[in-house]
Amino acid sequence: MVKTVRITLKNGDVVEKNGPVLLSDLCQEIGKRLFEDSVAAKVNGKLVDLSAIVDSDATVEFVTVKDPDALPVFRHSTAHVTAQAVKRVIPGAKLAIGPAIENGYYYDFHTQGELTLDLLPKIEEEIGKIIRENLFFKRVVMNKEEAIKFFSERNESLKVELIREIPDEALSVYNQGEFWDLCTGPHLPSTGKIKAFKLLNVAGAYWRGNEKNPMLQRLYGTTFPTKQQLDDYLKQLEEAAKRDHRKLGKELDLYSIQDLTGPGLILWHPKGAMIRKIIEDYWRDEHLARGYQLVYTPHIARVDLWKTSGHWDFYQDNMYKPIEVEDQEFMLKPMNCPFHILIYKTHKRSYRELPLRYGEMGTVYRYERSGVLHGLMRVRGFTQDDAHIFCAPEHLEQEIENCVRLALDILRKFGFEEFAITLSTGPFPSKAWEFGKGVSKKELYKKLLGETGDPAGLKEIEALSYDQIVDKFFGHRKNEFAGERNEWEHAEDVLVHVLQKVVVPLGIQPEIDIIGAAFYGPKIDIKVKDAIGREWQCSTIQFDFNLPRRFDVKYVGQDGKEHLATMVHRAMLGSFERFFGCLIEHYGGAFPFWLAPVQVRILPIGEKHLEYAKQVESELKKSGYRIEIDYQNEKIGAKIRDAQLEKIPYMLVVGDKEMESKSVSVRERKQGDLGTMALEQFLSTLPNH
RNA sequence: GCCGGGAUAGCUCAGUGGUAGAGCAGCUCACUCGUAAUGAGCAGGUCAGGGGUUCAAGUCCCCUUCCCGGCUCCA
């Protein structure tokens, strides 16, 4: 008997068929136009090939080129075509993996180093050929054994390694022309559907992301359904490059990094330093207003301090070698916390004093591997806007809430509106694990064992609880975490509660990073995006169950007994260096009026207007504005151009006309000429500094 | 640290094994000017550093330093 299949379409129509339905047939039946535009389908919400067959009742939605869901399909298919082209150009290249990523795709290959930049045009040409060949993407299901044999014969040892670790017996392989790849799909119907692609870059990448594994060559590319979209994207990349803080930092004379001082060490030039000073002033005022006290601590300390804190044992790889002075060893500080603890411990503390909040703009030095340094964003010497809160457990929630609010207030003050917030937990399952999108057991398993985990485990874990999974696969490392289980659970509950109260109502969905916490406590991180979409961590709020024990940080409670203090580390901007880098990119160098190192520049038309220019200058200086006069022997057009390129918010042109009427001709950097007005009028239009 | 690509005047960049270039910036002079570049002249180089090949090296090879794109790691 033939079974009737009822298919519910996106618009609610129901189609009944006798027997299994080939989606591409159904699509064609609905409309020629739809068929031409479709690249895949969603069956009960799951993305599948158009060549898939539906044999039971289902809802079906066709994914057209305009659908955002089509993009990953385009990219993944183009990755396959790219791999095919690479194999044609470098027959010895072994396939690794090739996923779609945020703005494109990559494919990793193991080669003898043949894959280099100058081959890109040739590979692109080959991709073009494959597209014109319009090869069909065919899905073939093999069992594990067949697949291993198949890829072994084709000398694809990396693929064989992957297959061996897939728990399922049946797996899918995709084929177009002479090219075969292990893949779950879905794919475009054929290579001819690819309309616009570009290879962007080659870079090294470790096999399976592990630096002990061999290095592969990663080919980055991107693709879009239309040429226009690709061009727009490439244009966007160019625009982003113009906002790069390293380029602007040089052009605007904000900072430099020089060979003679060394990599990752920042020289703040006067204009950059002025901006930093403004940020610092704001930071100090804000913190004093919110109950913080300021402290200052030295840059070096006896090695004994770092032995007590545990940095000697656990952080040495990031610290510079000891400095010997009169037979004693000192070390440059990588963190400020031990000093703040020492200040706390100069008295016996009462519960009445708590919470104590010590803030410091503390300059720290950390060894960073040379390859990771990046302008202002990743450096070796930096100043944290650090603070440590010492409190009793009952203060925690209020303190954390205050921290999160302060962080958001500060970041918003600087114009950031988009945040990515991450909650990193310890190894003890808590409410946090279920918070937000939650964590699947599979994710947890991968997190614990990495991609190289025993595949058998994947099946087994579904029957286990979080706790059992952690104990089974991570139990041996649990004792590396400081503090008691109940402390972790309580702290994570507090963090979740605060996020629910403060962050979720803003429409921000925090990410959960299971066991992403440092060994000493769970944390909340807030990131902002840079010009090209890279996320940089600014704020961080971290519990510490370790240092209070190591330094015996206590307070006397109402009960007259000593209790272990709870300690929170927190930085709002993160570091002045990184935050400055983010600011430069965020504003593209055109800092808002209150941050601009020069707020107003006076441009005299000629020499005879200098005297008046000076009058205007002193008048404005009385109001505390940052102002300067352009003394160049140049035409007004040139002076305007210079001020414009330096992105100075206001230019005041003064000539005969202004001198006579005691006025200024105002030009704003974006709006242009605003006309002539009395000085007082100009002053009244200025934003507060 | 690893893979790949780089480093030429203060900046941005040309440069084919055969005499080191341009524009901008700087300095000097002239011009005294009305909303994005006035003109002329001058000066500016251990071609990142070191070694090698060659009759001859900015150019080819090796090492070191630093930078860029990723990977890994992180504020």
Side-chain angles (χ1 to χ4, degrees), chain A residues 4 61 97 506-507 588:
Chain A
T4 304
E61 187 183 327
I97 54 165
L506 299 171

Side-chain angles (χ1 to χ4, degrees), chain A residues 347-498:
Chain A
H347 302 288
K348 194 158 206 155
R349 301 291 178 178
S350 153
Y351 70 97
R352 295 172 197 275
E353 296 178 77
L354 304 185
L356 271 175
R357 310 179 191 90
Y358 291 157
E360 177 182 15
M361 300 181 219
T363 304
V364 298
Y365 295 88
R366 298 183 188 171
Y367 165 70
E368 298 283 356
R369 302 207 281 181
S370 58
V372 307
L373 300 174
H374 182 92
L376 291 168
M377 302 298 204
R378 191 81 185 268
V379 296
R380 286 183 174 158
F382 57 100
T383 303
Q384 295 179 307
D385 66 314
D386 208 0
H388 294 92
I389 299 170
F390 301 91
C391 63
E394 59 267 30
H395 298 129
L396 263 183
E397 181 148 341
Q398 188 59 55
E399 288 304 306
I400 298 296
E401 181 180 336
N402 291 349
C403 284
V404 173
R405 288 191 192 282
L406 177 58
L408 293 176
D409 286 352
I410 289 180
L411 293 175
R412 284 208 196 92
K413 169 79 178 176
F414 291 98
F416 293 103
E417 293 293 343
E418 264 191 77
F419 313 110
I421 300 182
T422 309
L423 167 56
S424 301
T425 79
F428 309 103
S430 69
K431 279 184 201 157
W433 293 40
E434 310 282 355
F435 179 54
K437 281 177 232 145
V439 176
S440 73
K441 290 177 182 174
K442 200 171 155 189
E443 279 172 71
L444 172 60
Y445 177 80
K446 281 196 171 164
K447 181 91 194 181
L448 293 177
L449 292 171
E451 300 291 330
T452 51
D454 171 13
L458 264 174
K459 279 184 196 164
E460 185 187 330
I461 55 171
E462 287 306 325
L464 303 177
S465 69
Y466 280 148
D467 255 312
Q468 288 169 317
I469 296 171
V470 173
D471 281 340
K472 188 172 169 72
F473 299 108
F474 198 71
H476 59 291
R477 293 194 55 197
K478 260 181 155 178
N479 57 4
E480 291 170 18
F481 287 75
E484 302 297 326
R485 175 173 188 140
N486 62 356
E487 288 177 289
W488 282 83
E489 283 175 356
H490 175 62
E492 287 174 17
D493 286 354
V494 165
L495 292 178
V496 166
H497 201 216
V498 170

Side-chain angles (χ1 to χ4, degrees), chain A residues 253-257 265-277 279-280 376 381-383 575-581 584:
Chain A
D253 198 12
L254 300 173
Y255 76 96
S256 61
I257 301 170
L265 301 169
I266 307 300
L267 305 177
W268 293 70
H269 296 197
K271 291 206 171 96
M274 176 54 79
I275 295 171
R276 174 162 166 174
K277 184 250 178 211
I279 301 170
E280 287 180 357
L376 291 168
F382 57 100
T383 303
S575 77
F576 286 98
E577 286 74 10
R578 174 176 293 179
F579 190 72
F580 187 34
I584 295 169

